[in-house]
Amino acid sequence: MTSLAPGKALRVAFGETIAELARTDPRLVVLDGDTGSSTRTDFFENEHPERFFQMGITEQNMLGMAAGMATLGLIPIVSTFACFIVSRAHDSIRVLIAQPKLNVKLMGGYAGLLAGMTGKTHLIFDDISIMRAMANMTVIAPADEIETRKALPAIIDHPGPVYLRLTRPNSPILFDDDYEFEIGKAVTLREGSDITVFSTGLQSVRAYEAAQTLATEGIDVHLVHVPTIKPLDVDAIVSAAAKTDLVMTSEEHTIVGGLGGAIAETLAEHHPVTVKRHGLQDVFGESGPDAALLEKYGISPSKTAEAVRETVRSHKA
Amino acid sequence: MKTAEPTIAEIADIARRARIQILKAVAHAKGGHVGGPYSAIDMLATLYFRVLNVRPDEPDWPDRDRFVLSKGHSSIALYTILAMRGFFDMEELATFDSIDSRLQGHPDMTITPGVDMSSGSLGLGFAGALGIALGARTLGKDFTTYVMLGDGECNEGIVWEGAHVANRYHLDNIVAIIDQNNLQQFGWRGDTETERLTPYVGDELAGRWKAFGWHVLEVDGHDIQAFLDTVEKARAVSGSPVAIVAHTIKGKGVSYMEDNYTWHSRVPTEEEFAIAMQELGDTKAGER
Ligand SMILES: Cc1ncc(C[n+]2csc(CCOP(=O)(O)OP(=O)(O)O)c2C)c(N)n1
């Protein structure tokens, strides 16, 4: 098994890319909730200080002000930790951004289990469920720096609100430079015949590594990365599921209502098959080193491989 | 573009007629708010007929002044004034709160001509208005944004988040109008069975806006000339955001509603309706 090349953190790719896009797009403005050095909007501030607005630690207000700016044709990119965007400012998003379908881009950095030794207050892994349930909201979780860079122009061009789910740690590189991102499209990472695994965000990298390990054991995984959780690529999901008639979902997110929920709902309606949901169980997180957390909460590459083995085994039994 | 400017007496009459329309709409819909709309209506009439640079036949005109009714539960007051100002037909007021109507219980910017920002969850409209003001500055536009909040609404944390940020940016292209009618929906129990206590005692509320760095002006919100003068003063302030604390009476204009919290949202009985119409000088009194 060849391991993937190391890459930058998604948030770094995000910060660099929006600064670059703003060179040619005067509509872009950034609102920061006092976290720009973490979520990396500092790249944008350094290059475009006149379009960077420090809102302080006022998340509800910040999302509301972004809505006001959007009514004038600006495209506000609002960035702070995912937990504070999604839960602290939920009502602002719902009433002022999603209902009027305003063109505001919500960048939740530090989503998932890994938020740099911060503990459960800062960890959010029900954000996909929450944002997916909101009408008019598009939800995107890229896997690596390349996909993040490719997704951003599409997100900016997309009319209406988008929740971009980013993660904190550095991520290995999964995609080539010529990868083409399209909102609403799933991507096959590996063809296989024993089980179809759907994954999203950084978990797709772990699922990819797991699939390579499993191939050496004779388990042939069909792996589909789903960067857009909403709207879901229903056709691709149904046809991939039909290839194996055994499905596992895998995400750095609760199994309640996230990618697993979305896929289970879709397949129940369109192509009922066994769907095993792999991800965080019904828990809150804790502080600790990234690798230890992934192990403990069962979503490391090896734990992911184990989940696939178990799913295949129990299906055959 | 402003039409021929109505006099102070004419604005007072517009507000009087608006009160009649508001109660008719609420009685017809069998739902809605009355107390807050009545405390705000003199100011809304003044804003839309003498202050705001808007074009009723081109509601989305990009350079218009903006108005955000952050105390969105007073929507019927805004709708009535918008209709009187020519944004849509007066007949449409009869659809208030009904299915498929453009006049929803709380303002919806996506469907009602002249509504610049959705509101209804208290505190949010204020943030939206601040975003408009900061966005206008960023784009080099020189219109003014007006936003009206309730005093009860000022309980919300988001109001003070925004007050702080506006001061930090020295936003002087926004005027916040606080409709201080000293009652909210239910509020705090007083000494008597019917007494409900004010959210902010004395000059407490004005003091808070001052403490947040806002330039504060106070006025009687039912004195149209005084309100107009105060808005002029507010527009002349530069370097800091301005809050006009407008002292008002909830339910103003109908004797039994004034200062009575139960009229926050209540549908009048036939008898109550008739009395109100008489007091408001409706020539076709009693017609619902
Ligand atoms: C966030 C939120 N909480 C509660 C309500 C319910 N509510 C509607 S009006 C109101 C009282 C508002 O009082 P005030 O702002 O003083 O308005 P006014 O007296 O002018 O009507 C309440 C609690 C709401 N609309 N939004």
Side-chain angles (χ1 to χ4, degrees):
Chain A
M1 182 190 115
T2 54
S3 60
L4 297 165
K8 291 179 181 174
L10 276 51
R11 59 199 168 105
V12 173
F14 158 78
E16 291 174 349
T17 308
I18 53 168
E20 192 187 310
L21 292 173
R23 284 174 209 156
T24 50
D25 192 339
R27 301 167 304 169
L28 295 186
V29 294
V30 166
L31 284 72
D32 172 36
D34 196 28
T35 54
S37 50
S38 301
T39 59
R40 307 315 306 267
T41 51
D42 51 352
F43 293 107
F44 188 100
E45 182 186 32
N46 291 337
E47 223 185 301
H48 314 282
E50 72 295 343
R51 281 191 273 160
F52 177 88
F53 300 102
Q54 181 52 257
M55 289 290 122
I57 312 153
T58 74
E59 294 81 12
Q60 304 174 51
N61 172 67
M62 170 165 70
L63 274 296
M65 285 187 67
M69 290 180 160
T71 68
L72 303 179
L74 293 167
I75 303 180
I77 298 172
V78 191
S79 148
T80 183
F81 297 154
C83 55
F84 303 130
I85 288 194
V86 173
S87 19
R88 197 64 172 261
H90 183 268
D91 193 32
S92 301
I93 297 170
R94 198 175 66 94
V95 174
L96 292 184
I97 296 172
Q99 287 177 13
K101 215 174 177 178
L102 286 173
N103 209 4
V104 177
K105 313 306 174 187
L106 319 174
M107 196 296 257
Y110 288 33
L113 183 64
L114 311 177
M117 314 287 206
T118 43
K120 62 178 71 155
T121 55
H122 283 56
L123 302 179
I124 185 162
F125 33 81
D126 50 11
D127 55 319
I128 293 178
S129 318
I130 293 168
M131 297 309 269
R132 175 171 98 77
M134 199 182 287
N136 289 343
M137 188 62 68
T138 293
V139 179
I140 295 172
D144 73 353
E145 74 168 276
I146 304 231
E147 190 173 41
T148 305
R149 287 181 209 285
K150 304 279 182 167
L152 278 161
I155 288 169
I156 301 302
D157 280 348
H158 176 84
V162 177
Y163 173 60
L164 177 62
R165 179 186 216 239
L166 296 181
T167 38
R168 181 177 182 278
N170 291 345
S171 168
I173 304 253
L174 193 57
F175 290 105
D176 299 334
D177 273 328
D178 56 3
Y179 168 64
E180 283 177 24
F181 175 90
E182 199 184 321
I183 292 180
K185 285 279 168 259
V187 198
T188 304
L189 296 179
R190 188 182 188 285
E191 296 280 349
S193 55
D194 291 328
I195 180 171
T196 297
V197 173
F198 295 107
S199 58
T200 191
L202 225 79
Q203 186 64 13
S204 287
V205 173
R206 298 176 199 126
Y208 184 79
E209 289 176 0
Q212 283 185 304
T213 305
L214 291 164
T216 65
E217 302 168 15
I219 298 178
D220 193 17
V221 174
H222 186 74
L223 181 63
V224 179
H225 169 59
V226 187
T228 308
I229 296 117
K230 187 185 175 191
L232 206 57
D233 190 344
V234 175
D235 291 345
I237 281 154
V238 169
S239 63
K243 284 188 83 151
T244 59
D245 276 352
L246 175 63
V247 165
M248 188 181 103
T249 60
S250 186
E251 59 196 307
E252 187 184 331
H253 185 272
T254 171
I255 57 166
V256 182
L259 176 75
I263 293 207
E265 289 163 15
T266 300
L267 291 178
E269 273 184 15
H270 297 281
H271 186 83
V273 290
T274 298
V275 178
K276 165 78 186 169
R277 292 166 302 151
H278 172 244
L280 296 154
Q281 304 302 310
D282 201 18
V283 291
F284 291 107
E286 64 181 293
S287 303
D290 288 359
L293 287 170
L294 294 177
E295 263 332 287
K296 175 169 177 181
Y297 289 89
I299 56 169
S300 63
S302 66
K303 287 278 163 66
T304 302
E306 185 48 41
V308 175
R309 264 184 224 113
E310 182 54 36
T311 304
V312 171
R313 199 182 305 137
S314 61
H315 186 68
K316 280 186 182 148
Chain B
M1 208 183 7
K2 280 174 264 181
T3 46
E5 273 196 349
T7 63
I8 299 299
E10 282 165 344
I11 291 173
D13 196 56
I14 289 167
R16 180 188 66 84
R17 286 186 281 126
R19 283 185 169 89
I20 292 169
Q21 291 299 332
I22 289 166
L23 202 65
K24 284 186 175 172
V26 168
H28 184 76
K30 297 190 174 60
H33 294 75
V34 182
Y38 276 17
S39 67
I41 196 70
D42 295 309
M43 295 185 283
L44 288 174
T46 311
L47 287 170
Y48 273 90
F49 283 87
R50 282 290 287 270
V51 177
L52 296 175
N53 191 16
V54 290
R55 297 177 176 172
D57 50 358
E58 195 190 347
D60 293 333
W61 175 46
D63 292 327
R64 70 193 183 279
D65 286 332
R66 301 303 197 273
F67 177 77
V68 178
L69 183 69
S70 195
K71 44 170 264 181
H73 57 282
S74 290
S75 60
I76 187 59
L78 177 61
Y79 299 153
T80 302
I81 289 298
L82 287 174
M84 293 175 95
R85 186 69 174 79
F87 282 83
F88 45 84
D89 289 344
M90 290 296 288
E91 286 77 66
E92 199 166 338
L93 292 175
T95 71
F96 173 57
D97 254 347
S98 63
I99 281 204
D100 291 336
S101 170
R102 297 197 293 183
L103 309 182
Q104 295 281 299
H106 291 87
D108 182 340
M109 63 181 289
T110 67
I111 48 179
T112 315
V115 169
D116 290 327
M117 181 67 57
S118 296
S119 58
S121 178
L122 292 168
L124 299 189
F126 180 53
L130 293 175
I132 295 175
L134 185 55
R137 176 189 283 180
T138 306
L139 292 168
K141 300 213 166 240
D142 62 3
F143 61 78
T144 304
T145 300
Y146 298 84
V147 55
M148 182 182 284
L149 300 91
D151 51 347
E153 180 172 15
C154 295
N155 296 173
E156 279 289 352
I158 187 175
V159 170
W160 304 106
E161 295 181 7
H164 166 73
V165 169
N167 178 45
R168 183 68 191 74
Y169 280 93
H170 309 293
L171 280 184
D172 54 8
N173 57 350
I174 185 155
V175 177
I177 298 157
I178 323 298
D179 181 5
Q180 183 165 9
N181 57 30
N182 293 324
L183 285 174
Q184 40 201 108
Q185 178 177 319
F186 192 48
W188 290 266
R189 188 191 289 275
D191 291 333
T192 64
E193 211 171 294
T194 53
E195 190 188 21
R196 305 304 299 182
L197 295 182
T198 165
Y200 301 97
V201 178
D203 57 4
E204 202 181 349
L205 186 55
R208 286 186 193 191
W209 287 94
K210 273 184 206 140
F212 274 78
W214 286 56
H215 185 95
V216 175
L217 300 166
E218 296 195 55
V219 71
D220 173 349
H222 301 302
D223 181 336
I224 288 162
Q225 182 68 61
F227 179 69
L228 200 53
D229 294 344
T230 307
V231 170
E232 284 306 319
K233 268 190 222 154
R235 287 162 82 175
V237 171
S238 72
S240 83
V242 188
I244 298 177
V245 174
H247 299 280
T248 60
I249 295 169
K250 199 155 175 169
K252 167 78 176 176
V254 173
S255 57
Y256 61 84
M257 293 182 188
E258 290 191 2
D259 275 331
N260 179 342
Y261 82 95
T262 65
W263 280 97
H264 174 75
S265 57
R266 180 160 147 194
V267 179
T269 62
E270 296 224 4
E271 198 193 341
E272 285 165 345
F273 184 83
I275 296 170
M277 288 303 128
Q278 206 169 28
E279 289 189 15
L280 293 168
D282 184 29
T283 46
K284 286 173 269 168
E287 207 175 281
R288 301 181 69 147

